[in-house]
Amino acid sequence: MRAVRWRYPRAVWVISMAFTAQLLPRRRGRGTAWWVYPLALLLWPAYFVNLLPFVLIGRVYLSDDGDVALTLRRSDGGADSLWLGVGMTITVAVYFVAFVLLGAPALLYVAATTVMLGLQAREALGDLLDLTIRPPEAPYWTVEGLARMPASATPALRLAGELIERVVPEGELVVAVAGNQRLARVYERYGFVRRRARGLALTARR
């Protein structure tokens, strides 16, 4: 996996498709449902803007085949945190300009996509809040948005593990928030430990 620049739109599409496909139960053996594509396309601009801070600091990664994407960033109050703050300011500015230029349609779009993004993260909201209130002692690395294109056979977690081995210094803590219990169990097989029973936030020492 490599940090994206010009392939950023593809990484956003992978994340949008993967998380949209999780909104409803999986259809075994029947491929990707048709409704995933228009909904993913609807969410694509929101993901594109929301992930801008991460691509600006070079922390959005995409597999060579373009089927797996994630963000991996360091939380230590250093350069990553500084540039992440700059990126978030740019993101807020983009939304503000959209409100000024488009008015009510932009407001309705943001409201609709916020609801959909909230539905996608509904199982992990408590763990995300807990990490915000009680973060691990810095420095630590955070894996977010691990996504794989529906129907792809690319081993997402294996690639994420290889990226962590390459990027994260030995001995430092890695935090991941799984999107559901099934993914949390997969993380556990790779050596991650839950921060609390049945929780979706997990940690591992590099």
Side-chain angles (χ1 to χ4, degrees):
M1 300 189 75
R2 306 181 187 190
V4 300
R5 286 292 185 267
W6 63 270
R7 297 182 77 197
Y8 176 51
R10 172 65 185 183
V12 176
W13 178 244
V14 171
I15 292 171
S16 185
M17 279 289 292
F19 291 144
T20 301
Q22 292 176 13
L23 284 174
L24 290 178
R26 302 170 67 184
R27 310 189 320 166
R28 295 185 180 276
R30 298 178 61 187
T32 305
W34 66 268
W35 50 264
V36 170
Y37 294 94
L39 284 180
L41 189 61
L42 176 67
L43 285 173
W44 187 89
Y47 273 118
F48 187 93
V49 174
N50 291 342
L51 289 171
L52 273 177
F54 299 96
V55 77
L56 289 175
I57 62 174
R59 295 303 189 186
V60 178
Y61 297 86
L62 185 69
S63 62
D64 291 341
D65 65 0
D67 277 359
V68 176
L70 61 80
T71 67
L72 175 64
R73 63 184 177 88
R74 197 168 194 255
S75 301
D76 62 353
D80 270 16
S81 299
L82 174 63
W83 285 108
L84 192 61
V86 172
M88 287 180 176
T89 302
I90 294 173
T91 296
V92 171
V94 169
Y95 278 120
F96 178 76
V97 171
F99 290 148
V100 170
L101 296 179
L102 301 176
L107 185 60
L108 289 173
Y109 174 79
V110 170
T113 54
T114 299
V115 170
M116 293 180 69
L117 293 176
L119 287 173
Q120 291 172 349
R122 61 191 182 277
E123 291 187 52
L125 285 177
D127 294 278
L128 291 170
L129 181 61
D130 182 60
L131 277 174
T132 302
I133 297 173
R134 299 187 306 109
E137 185 177 349
Y140 65 92
W141 294 74
T142 305
V143 179
E144 297 172 311
L146 177 59
R148 182 176 68 180
M149 283 292 286
S152 172
T154 303
L157 263 166
R158 181 176 64 79
L159 291 180
E162 292 173 356
L163 178 67
I164 290 170
E165 290 284 328
R166 191 173 78 245
V167 174
V168 178
E170 187 173 354
E172 294 198 357
L173 189 70
V174 180
V175 178
V177 179
N180 51 54
Q181 292 293 340
R182 179 184 61 81
L183 185 55
R185 289 190 290 271
V186 176
Y187 272 113
E188 287 180 308
R189 291 202 294 271
Y190 277 80
F192 281 79
V193 178
R194 299 183 194 239
R195 296 188 76 199
R196 58 189 179 89
R198 298 291 297 169
L200 296 180
L202 305 96
T203 61
R205 189 70 62 177
R206 159 74 170 85

